[in-house]
Amino acid sequence: MSLIEQVEAALDTIRPYLETDGGNVSVEEITPENVVKLKYLGACGNCPMSIMTLKAGIEEAIKKAVPEITGVEAINLTDIDDPNAVLPANLR
């Protein structure tokens, strides 16, 4: 199974939760440094909890299933300075 297939399989384990709230993600790229670049889709694109979803949900699921992945980034993440953003405690 290729790296992208492994990442997609990991995302499939959490997609039902994203879809429940009207969102999803798509893999845009896996860099040569094995960083996954995602795009938030639907409601996830402007959700104030998108930072927490990325760090506590998506990144954790991908790294657990695919240890070769060194990081996960969203290309259209809610800005960390957005007053409505909900942050995991370790980001601030």
Side-chain angles (χ1 to χ4, degrees):
M1 186 181 286
S2 73
L3 200 56
I4 186 79
E5 290 170 329
Q6 292 176 64
V7 169
E8 288 288 354
L11 288 171
D12 286 344
T13 67
I14 59 169
R15 278 195 167 109
Y17 304 105
L18 300 173
E19 291 168 349
T20 297
D21 292 325
N24 207 333
V25 293
S26 67
V27 177
E28 297 296 303
E29 172 186 13
I30 299 178
T31 70
E33 296 80 22
N34 285 346
V35 175
V36 176
K37 300 222 177 192
L38 300 174
K39 182 176 184 181
Y40 277 123
L41 305 172
C44 289
N46 58 5
C47 176
M49 293 196 60
S50 60
I51 296 168
M52 187 179 306
T53 301
L54 179 70
K55 291 296 175 190
I58 296 171
E59 184 173 53
E60 185 175 316
I62 291 173
K63 285 182 158 186
K64 182 177 180 182
V66 191
E68 301 91 332
I69 296 302
T70 60
V72 179
E73 300 174 1
I75 62 172
N76 60 334
L77 185 64
T78 298
D79 190 87
I80 197 165
D81 293 322
D82 184 325
N84 297 313
V86 177
L87 304 173
N90 63 348
L91 287 179
R92 281 244 170 147

